[in-house]
Amino acid sequence: MSQANIMDNEVDIVIGALHSDLTTFMNEWRPVFSRFHLIIVKDPDLSGEIQIPEGFNVDVYTRSDIDRVVGSSTSVLFSGYSCRYFGYLMSRKKYVISIDDDCIPAKDNEGSLVDIVAQHITNLTTPATPFFFNTLYDPYRKGADFVRGYPFSLREGVTCALSCGLWLNLADYDAPTQALKPELRNSRYVDAVLTVPVRAMLPLSGINIAFDRELVGPALIPALKLAGEGKFRWETMEDIWSGMCVKVISDHMGLGVKSGLPYVWRNERGNAIESLKKEWEGVKLMEEVVPFFQAVRLPQSAVTAEDCVVELAKTVKEQLGQSYPMFVRAAEAMVEWIKVWKAVRSG
Amino acid sequence: MSQANIMDNEVDIVIGALHSDLTTFMNEWRPVFSRFHLIIVKDPDLSGEIQIPEGFNVDVYTRSDIDRVVGSSTSVLFSGYSCRYFGYLMSRKKYVISIDDDCIPAKDNEGSLVDIVAQHITNLTTPATPFFFNTLYDPYRKGADFVRGYPFSLREGVTCALSCGLWLNLADYDAPTQALKPELRNSRYVDAVLTVPVRAMLPLSGINIAFDRELVGPALIPALKLAGEGKFRWETMEDIWSGMCVKVISDHMGLGVKSGLPYVWRNERGNAIESLKKEWEGVKLMEEVVPFFQAVRLPQSAVTAEDCVVELAKTVKEQLGQSYPMFVRAAEAMVEWIKVWKAVRSG
């Protein structure tokens, strides 16, 4: 694995803490996380001291750190699941890996513990192939290659910017699906990684992701907050929105996005039927959001992720802002985020 | 499995015979094929009587049938691997499944024999989702669904026109790859089917495919013949060309293309280094072919697969025909094919 070539000090693991007692979570992840630097960001709405077992190299950020760094008017961006974005902001490493605090390590088809860091880093450090589909999935994987007919000029691939992992047990379904199929659990471990083709949009789940912070860090943005957003994944949309921003920007910049391995094991929680009241708002919004991101094109003058976010925000405001005020707020949050991102970098 | 709803008489299994003794091949496939009608087309260049064991419902076509139906001037289209297209022409069934005669049934991760007919028919009779990527692969599969963020308006999907299966053991690599990595074998059984997104091109391998003949039959065309085409897959391009035609036409018609399960076990044969002399021609052509198919758009007036092929042939001649005379011949073969297709249907 090319992961061997990555120095431990090139990786930050960012955990957004929506629960104050992280003892079990951290102990489960100890074999995977203990070599790396961790950034834990406590949800500013969460009361109680964060509990972390010993033996980790960790920085913990709380509401007072957020207020100090970004000011109290901006700090509202970082409530709930969005608290992790403060960790992205504070990271100085090339690669960021982020896992929800209700997940533990999964096992592969052979019963071995999945090392999500190794797999995400392999995904990020081997090329992506967005311009032509390889039917045998990741051509850079040991034992695989490009199939007959794959143009040689495209076999070099492009840099991978984002790696989207998956979930066993409780998959990332929306509240209506969970409510309709309360018994639905994902038990299929699909042993594959693939590049999502250029111009194809995907619903990024923030549960288990990794990205090249230097390339696309500014494009992961806590921008879209639902009015009734709560403390369950299926009540949020920030990651889906963020994911479409990153995909459009990666396509524009000639970077790749991969999906597939690694898996995490996701534990049960929450009452889907209770959440349905809030979730429908997010469900309705996707009908506007997806066609927008499928059609939007960025100007050639936008060459960095920061430029791209600012340009995207303009178009969001002009086009989506017409239908829902929430999108105007999202556009404003995107612009604000880039200001903060630059200020933190220059400070 | 929805395969249960398909009547046996809706399926033809088409085999292009490049070997005259099919005894072992047919006996290996007996548990899967024996319920269905088979069409075997003998490569017109092949000498010797076709040998088929008893107990199959089979029609065998040879050079004399081809000459009789399409005329001897057109029959050249059907030499070598292209002989199977004569079977597509003669089929009267809704679904066609086609497997190379050097493949036998594969086993899945549990060691069970893979029923390629059941899996291909499941792929073709459940919807495809080309307009948005589902990270958990086929959302219609038992135990799966659409993930959070997937627009509800796209969950109905579209009709699947083509199902591209894969290969264990000797995968469908080109001659340069096989020559460089003679030990390379595919042993990874990836338990997934996915829809190839709209506008993403893929290198279709003809080794193990199924399609809805009524919808896209005319778009599978023996059009691109390499000058030094031989009797090994890696010396041919007809399937790759055909696959891009079907993909462009499916995208235009709002139909889907799936890739993944089912697998077949592909036996070794041929000397890759010997084939390299011929293969480089095909390899070079892909550098022209792929950008062409990525960019081409069909007029709204083309509403059937036949219309689409004729329109595509015009553009092939105008654009690709400039660089290589082989593409002019491919365009002419496409037009000729549609004439034959219509004549056989009306006759």
Coordinates of all heavy atoms in Angstrom, one line a residue, chain A residues 20 42-49:
Chain A
S20 N -20.6 13.6 24.6 CA -19.4 14.0 25.5 C -18.5 12.9 25.9 O -17.3 13.0 26.1 CB -19.9 14.8 26.7 OG -20.9 14.1 27.4
K42 N -15.8 19.8 19.9 CA -17.0 19.6 20.6 C -18.1 20.4 20.0 O -18.0 21.6 19.9 CB -16.8 19.9 22.1 CG -17.9 19.6 23.0 CD -17.5 20.1 24.4 CE -18.7 20.1 25.3 NZ -18.6 20.9 26.5
D43 N -19.2 19.8 19.7 CA -20.4 20.5 19.3 C -20.7 21.6 20.3 O -20.9 21.3 21.5 CB -21.6 19.5 19.2 CG -22.9 20.2 18.9 OD1 -22.9 21.4 18.6 OD2 -24.0 19.5 19.0
P44 N -20.8 22.9 19.8 CA -21.0 24.0 20.8 C -22.3 23.9 21.5 O -22.4 24.5 22.6 CB -20.9 25.2 19.9 CG -20.8 24.8 18.5 CD -20.5 23.3 18.4
D45 N -23.2 23.1 21.0 CA -24.5 23.0 21.8 C -24.4 21.9 22.9 O -25.4 21.7 23.6 CB -25.6 22.5 20.8 CG -25.8 23.5 19.7 OD1 -25.4 24.7 19.8 OD2 -26.3 23.1 18.6
L46 N -23.3 21.2 22.9 CA -23.2 20.0 23.8 C -22.7 20.5 25.2 O -21.7 21.2 25.3 CB -22.2 19.0 23.2 CG -22.0 17.7 23.9 CD1 -23.3 16.8 23.9 CD2 -20.9 16.9 23.2
S47 N -23.4 20.0 26.2 CA -22.9 20.4 27.6 C -22.2 19.2 28.2 O -22.2 18.1 27.6 CB -24.1 20.7 28.5 OG -25.0 19.6 28.5
G48 N -21.4 19.4 29.2 CA -20.6 18.3 29.8 C -19.2 18.3 29.3 O -19.0 18.7 28.1
E49 N -18.3 17.9 30.1 CA -16.9 17.7 29.7 C -16.7 16.6 28.7 O -17.3 15.5 28.9 CB -16.1 17.4 31.0 CG -15.7 18.6 31.8 CD -14.7 19.5 31.1 OE1 -13.6 19.1 30.8 OE2 -15.1 20.7 30.9

